[in-house]
Amino acid sequence: MRASPLARSLFAVYVLLVVYASLYPLSGWSDQGLSAFAYLAAPPPRYVTAFDVVANLVGYLPYGFFCVLALYPRVRGRCALAAAALSGAALSMVMEAAQSFLPTRVPSNLDVACNVAGTLVGAALGMRLAAWLLDEGPLKRLRERAFLPGHPADLGLVLLALWLFTQLNPAMLLFGAGDLRGLVSAPGGASHPAALFISIEALTTAANLIAVALLTSVIAAPGQRIRLIVVALLVCALAVRTVAFAILVRAEHVLDWLTPGAAQGLAFGLIGAFAALSLPRTGRLVLAAVLLMAATVLVNLAPSNPYLAVTLGEWQPGRFLNFNGLTRLVTSAWPFVALAYLIWLAARRPREAD
């Protein structure tokens, strides 16, 4: 039995996401005149909501889960549980200490306790499922049968997982990652007719869908039913999108993401993806890169979404502020990371000739 590079990659990515979410919005750093770890000896917070407790538990549950999977099979059982708990506690305490220098964040010993509890729950779950997932389970068999072996394909799968994560951002166009305007300036601009937005959203959705389908195809194992895999990935993305609107916005807006432009983009994108999958490997890599950059340009030039104006006007990030900041970061960076990955793949010697 060998360690899983995919599990280790997922664990590393999740640690980075935890760090960013813990320190968001990463501005206003100042010395408050107290020890960074003074919160450990402070009395528990007077006002605690159930949401805060659950959020801290859930936030570190994947940490413990991925930590145990990353350590498997070299470290197992109680040793893996202890390693996950200790490292989770250390990460949580350091993040809370760093929050002492952020005026918008309040470090809390209760948060650390909840984070450690979440880590333990995730680690316990990981201990039960590690062998099933990484040795003989259906996910292991699916990974070996459907995708190429090796670290490059694992990195591609991590990218696809992050692409699914971007669908949790209700403010973006469907599949419209790469919007940098919110990071450098406030969105705004002149009004435009809705017809213009329909065209831009349709092109953006279609281009990104084709690019993701092509990225999936270059890491798929030979002889696989790529079109079926693409459809399954698309269904997962739309399900995540729907859940995001139901939870982060309101249940009555659950399908508001399906605007006229999005519907057209899905139809044309799926047709275009099926056609583009017949291209040779080099052609797929080049076309995916071109479409990603074209879609990113469109996203950054697109006017405000008139179909979601009312829905997003009612959207109050509130308690989800840190989570929304995290999704915005991943959404903004994803196409550029994907482009670098495609270039790296193109520079490598292909396993099979075109």
Side-chain angles (χ1 to χ4, degrees):
M1 294 181 293
R2 300 168 56 186
S4 170
L6 178 58
R8 293 183 174 183
S9 298
L10 289 171
F11 176 63
V13 168
Y14 196 79
V15 170
L16 294 176
L17 295 179
V18 167
V19 171
Y20 181 83
S22 300
L23 302 182
Y24 182 80
L26 285 86
S27 61
W29 295 87
S30 61
D31 189 351
Q32 306 297 319
L34 298 173
S35 168
F37 292 93
Y39 71 91
L40 289 173
R46 295 180 60 184
Y47 303 102
V48 179
T49 65
F51 177 85
D52 292 333
V53 173
V54 172
N56 282 289
L57 281 167
V58 173
Y60 270 71
L61 191 151
Y63 176 92
F65 183 77
F66 287 134
C67 183
V68 169
L69 295 188
L71 293 173
Y72 186 86
R74 293 184 179 179
V75 182
R76 308 190 201 182
R78 294 180 180 178
C79 291
L81 183 68
L86 290 175
S87 62
L91 177 62
S92 178
M93 287 191 291
V94 170
M95 291 300 98
E96 293 294 320
Q99 289 178 10
S100 301
F101 301 96
L102 289 169
T104 59
R105 305 302 299 269
V106 179
S108 166
N109 46 25
L110 179 62
D111 288 351
V112 173
C114 293
N115 292 339
V116 173
T119 300
L120 286 170
V121 173
L125 184 62
M127 288 171 56
R128 282 187 167 274
L129 298 179
W132 183 72
L133 289 173
L134 304 179
D135 285 345
E136 73 279 352
L139 290 180
K140 173 70 171 180
R141 293 194 296 269
L142 177 63
R143 165 67 183 90
E144 293 179 343
R145 182 175 66 252
F147 298 97
L148 293 171
H151 197 52
D154 286 338
L155 291 177
L157 291 173
V158 172
L159 265 179
L160 292 178
L162 289 174
W163 180 71
L164 292 176
F165 182 79
T166 65
Q167 308 314 312
L168 292 172
N169 184 353
M172 79 169 188
L173 303 179
L174 181 62
F175 306 155
D179 191 347
L180 302 177
R181 292 171 298 180
L183 299 179
V184 296
S185 63
S191 299
H192 297 274
L196 174 64
F197 183 83
I198 292 176
S199 301
I200 291 178
E201 186 176 25
L203 289 171
T204 300
T205 300
N208 276 295
L209 176 54
I210 296 171
V212 170
L214 294 175
L215 188 156
T216 305
S217 71
V218 297
I219 63 172
Q224 289 301 307
R225 301 172 65 182
I226 304 300
R227 290 173 175 80
L228 182 60
I229 295 176
V230 169
V231 170
L233 183 64
L234 175 60
V235 170
C236 289
L238 298 182
V240 172
R241 187 76 169 166
T242 302
V243 170
F245 269 72
I247 296 177
L248 300 180
V249 187
R250 287 186 180 179
E252 58 266 30
H253 299 304
V254 66
L255 291 179
D256 279 10
W257 57 267
L258 190 58
T259 61
Q264 293 179 20
L266 285 172
F268 290 121
L270 200 56
I271 294 172
F274 283 0
L277 289 174
S278 61
L279 293 172
R281 180 180 183 274
T282 300
R284 283 176 279 150
L285 286 169
V286 172
L287 181 59
V290 170
L291 290 175
L292 274 179
M293 288 300 95
T296 303
V297 171
L298 283 175
V299 164
N300 284 277
L301 295 177
S304 299
N305 188 336
Y307 294 94
L308 284 180
V310 175
T311 300
L312 295 180
E314 297 178 2
W315 177 39
Q316 301 294 332
R319 298 176 298 179
F320 296 101
L321 181 62
N322 298 331
F323 177 78
N324 290 323
L326 180 60
T327 57
R328 186 174 67 174
L329 172 70
V330 178
T331 300
S332 300
W334 191 88
F336 303 100
V337 178
L339 177 64
Y341 174 74
L342 291 169
I343 294 173
W344 178 65
L345 283 184
R348 289 173 55 87
R349 185 185 301 275
R351 291 181 175 273
E352 296 185 2
D354 290 341

